């Protein structure tokens, strides 16, 4: 039987000085969809780059607005130092888009509006006092409209904030639609069908409780692995930048500049080692709990399930194993690159050791995790199709 999918449209509005953040929104939406693919929830990003085409109208923003429409559920607005080009009725296209969303909210539409302000330094040569003043004026008016915004300093901070806030927004939309929340959907349905008389301890769990537990742990593990991938991609960018700096240094020797590069490279390496170590421990701990849940569910499932009940778990394990394989390849390549960094200075040498140690731990965990997935899939398949 086909599985129904609930699609929530996310509209992205901003001036042109936050291109990196606009690209990050696309990555976050893709990550959200990966995490929640089993829950029947999907986000669809609507933005002028992908959702409009050349046309004529009363004025350019009117063309964009008419093509995009107002059939979206979540509005994301991002501002930094520029407010944008004025339209006939508003200070910028972004303000006109916000006003359309706010008007819908005032009329009682079920809509989430999230405004973000980039609070990062600006090159003096890039500052336009008029544009910056309009941004500050717009932000200052939000509290009077009942608005609550978030500020961020880096692309990475924005990524984490947006992923968290999108989940919360979808949960609220789900509740307003009288449907279960993203993470607790199956749990809540089962509790309605089989209400518990008291708080259930793990040793009293049945098939349903273990199934819900495994689903949540699978999502947690995938989220942590994706976070590791994101951290590694960012770190690769940092290392590539520092590599270019070292190449420049070879052609233009400067001892002070060399020390500065070493310190900055060591800083980025130590930060990566710390951040990815947390994510590594998180996914591996979650995998261990998931493994225990699967083992217990297999023990009690005799006579309670059909073969189709196990297909979703097998699909999840295949997907998880595939993601681990991608992670293993990326981490292996990174280990080789980091391990080959010349021993130029003590801070750099220490940072290199820290990163290599953490990457070794990740490789070991990933190998263990893939073995677990393969063994569990084999066990389930033998249960579904026993060899007589």
């Amino acid at each position: 039987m086909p599985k129904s999918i609930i699609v929530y449209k996310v509209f992205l509005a901003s001036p042109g000085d936050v291109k990196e953040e606009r690209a990050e929104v696309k990555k976050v939406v893709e990550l959200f969809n990966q995490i929640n693919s089993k829950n029947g929830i999907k986000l669809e990003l609507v933005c002028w780059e992908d959702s409009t085409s050349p046309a004529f109208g009363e004025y350019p923003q009117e063309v964009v607005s008419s093509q995009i429409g107002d059939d979206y559920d979540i509005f994301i607005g991002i501002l930094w130092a520029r407010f944008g080009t004025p339209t006939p009725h508003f200070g910028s296209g972004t303000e006109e888009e916000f006003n359309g969303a706010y008007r819908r909210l005032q009329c009682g539409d079920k809509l989430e509006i999230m405004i973000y302000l980039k609070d990062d330094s600006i090159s003096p040569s890039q500052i336009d006092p008029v544009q910056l003043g309009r941004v500050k004026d717009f932000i200052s008016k939000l509290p009077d409209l009942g608005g609550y915004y978030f500020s961020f300093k880096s692309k990475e901070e924005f990524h984490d904030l947006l992923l968290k806030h999108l989940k919360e927004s979808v949960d609220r939309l789900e509740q307003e639609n009288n449907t279960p929340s993203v993470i607790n959907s199956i749990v809540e349905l089962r509790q309605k069908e089989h209400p518990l008389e008291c708080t259930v301890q793990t040793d009293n769990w049945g098939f349903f409780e273990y199934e819900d537990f495994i689903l949540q742990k699978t999502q947690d593990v995938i989220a942590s692995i994706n976070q590791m991938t994101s951290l590694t991609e960012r770190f690769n960018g940092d290392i590539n930048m520092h590599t270019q700096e070292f190449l420049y240094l070879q052609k233009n020797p400067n001892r002070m500049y060399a020390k500065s590069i070493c310190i900055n490279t060591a800083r980025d390496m130590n930060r990566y080692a710390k951040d990815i170590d947390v994510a590594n421990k998180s996914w591996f701990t979650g995998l261990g709990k998931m493994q225990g849940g699967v083992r217990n569910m297999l023990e009690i499932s005799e006579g309670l399930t059909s073969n189709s009940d196990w297909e979703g778990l097998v699909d999840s394990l295949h997907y998880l194993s595939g993601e681990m394989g991608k992670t293993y390849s990326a981490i292996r390549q990174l280990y080789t690159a980091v391990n080959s960094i010349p021993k130029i200075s003590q801070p750099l040498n220490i940072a290199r050791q820290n990163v290599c140690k953490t990457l070794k731990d990740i490789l070991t965990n990933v190998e263990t995790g893939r073995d677990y997935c393969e063994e569990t899939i084999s066990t389930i398949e033998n249960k579904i199709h026993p060899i007589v």
Side-chain angles (χ1 to χ4, degrees):
M1 180 177 179
K3 182 178 180 180
S4 60
I5 301 292
I6 299 176
V7 178
Y8 290 106
K9 291 187 177 182
V10 180
F11 177 58
L12 174 58
S14 77
D17 62 338
V18 287
K19 292 181 180 179
E20 287 190 352
E21 286 69 26
R22 291 184 70 89
E24 205 65 30
V25 172
K26 294 184 179 181
K27 294 180 182 178
V28 171
V29 167
E30 290 174 359
L31 176 56
F32 180 97
N33 288 337
Q34 290 176 12
I35 295 172
N36 296 286
S37 60
K38 298 295 183 180
N39 295 316
I41 301 291
K42 180 181 179 180
L43 297 182
E44 178 183 327
L45 184 61
V46 180
C47 54
W48 69 264
E49 302 100 308
D50 303 325
S51 309
T52 63
S53 58
F56 282 80
E58 185 179 347
Y59 54 95
Q61 183 59 47
E62 187 271 336
V63 173
V64 172
S65 297
S66 64
Q67 291 188 13
I68 289 178
D70 60 1
D71 182 24
Y72 53 83
D73 306 283
I74 300 173
F75 177 96
I76 298 175
I78 312 172
L79 292 169
W80 185 21
R82 295 191 59 80
F83 198 53
T85 304
T87 70
H89 309 291
F90 294 92
S92 70
T94 302
E95 185 179 29
E96 183 168 329
E97 290 163 343
F98 166 78
N99 187 73
Y102 183 73
R103 185 171 60 250
R104 285 181 54 198
L105 189 66
Q106 293 299 100
C107 291
D109 282 6
K110 296 174 182 177
L111 176 67
E112 294 282 318
I113 298 179
M114 303 192 298
I115 303 296
Y116 294 91
L117 176 64
K118 185 174 181 178
D119 186 19
D120 196 9
S121 59
I122 310 167
S123 172
S125 62
Q126 301 298 318
I127 295 178
D128 184 328
V130 175
Q131 288 282 323
L132 187 58
R134 289 175 179 170
V135 171
K136 292 181 178 179
D137 183 58
F138 175 82
I139 291 295
S140 68
K141 292 178 180 178
L142 291 180
D144 293 334
L145 299 176
Y148 177 52
Y149 69 92
F150 263 70
S151 61
F152 63 92
K153 290 186 176 296
S154 68
K155 182 175 63 175
E156 293 73 30
E157 182 183 4
F158 175 64
H159 177 104
D160 294 340
L161 281 174
L162 184 59
L163 183 60
K164 175 177 180 292
H165 295 163
L166 280 175
K167 176 193 173 302
E168 294 170 350
S169 292
V170 170
D171 281 347
R172 286 192 290 268
L173 290 169
E174 290 278 88
Q175 291 169 6
E176 290 176 358
N177 290 330
N178 295 317
T179 56
S181 65
V182 173
I183 299 302
N184 298 316
S185 56
I186 295 178
V187 176
E188 291 176 3
L189 282 173
R190 297 279 163 72
Q191 287 177 343
K192 290 178 182 178
E193 297 169 359
H194 309 279
L196 301 176
E197 296 179 358
C198 60
T199 302
V200 179
Q201 300 298 320
T202 305
D203 54 1
N204 290 322
W205 277 7
F207 179 83
F208 287 149
E209 287 76 23
Y210 281 117
E211 186 181 40
D212 300 334
F213 176 78
I214 292 166
L215 173 64
Q216 292 184 22
K217 289 305 170 188
T218 301
Q219 293 171 341
D220 293 342
V221 169
I222 292 174
S224 294
I225 289 177
N226 286 332
Q227 183 185 15
M228 289 169 57
T229 301
S230 178
L231 289 169
T232 301
E233 288 176 352
R234 184 184 72 185
F235 180 63
N236 277 326
D238 293 338
I239 291 299
N240 288 336
M241 178 188 69
H242 293 311
T243 299
Q244 295 301 316
E245 291 175 336
F246 280 118
L247 291 175
Y248 174 82
L249 189 63
Q250 290 177 357
K251 298 178 181 179
N252 304 274
N254 185 305
R255 188 176 180 83
M256 292 300 296
Y257 182 47
K259 287 185 176 180
S260 175
I261 296 175
C262 289
I263 292 173
N264 290 336
T265 305
R267 176 203 61 205
D268 290 341
M269 291 173 67
N270 285 324
R271 180 182 63 184
Y272 170 73
K274 179 181 177 181
D275 291 346
I276 203 166
D277 183 56
V278 172
N280 179 42
K281 290 176 180 176
S282 175
W283 85 266
F284 197 65
T285 299
L287 183 69
K289 293 178 179 179
M290 176 185 168
Q291 181 180 14
V294 172
R295 182 175 61 248
N296 292 337
M297 189 169 71
L298 285 166
E299 290 177 357
I300 67 170
S301 64
E302 194 65 40
L304 298 175
T305 62
S306 63
N307 293 350
S308 61
D309 291 323
W310 295 99
E311 292 176 357
L313 178 57
V314 170
D315 289 343
S316 295
L317 289 170
H318 276 303
Y319 177 79
L320 185 56
S321 180
E323 292 301 298
M324 289 183 193
K326 296 176 186 177
T327 300
Y328 186 91
S329 298
I331 295 297
R332 185 72 189 178
Q333 291 177 5
L334 181 60
Y335 176 85
T336 301
V338 172
N339 197 42
S340 64
I341 293 177
K343 297 181 178 180
I344 302 175
S345 69
Q346 185 181 40
L348 193 59
N349 295 341
I350 294 173
R352 173 177 165 274
Q353 291 173 359
N354 290 338
V355 172
C356 286
K357 179 182 181 302
T358 303
L359 295 181
K360 276 187 177 181
D361 291 341
I362 294 173
L363 291 172
T364 300
N365 287 352
V366 171
E367 288 177 340
T368 303
R370 296 196 75 187
D371 289 341
Y372 157 70
C373 287
E374 291 175 5
E375 291 171 4
T376 306
I377 290 171
S378 177
T379 300
I380 294 174
E381 289 179 343
N382 287 334
K383 182 180 181 65
I384 297 175
H385 305 291
I387 299 175
V388 180

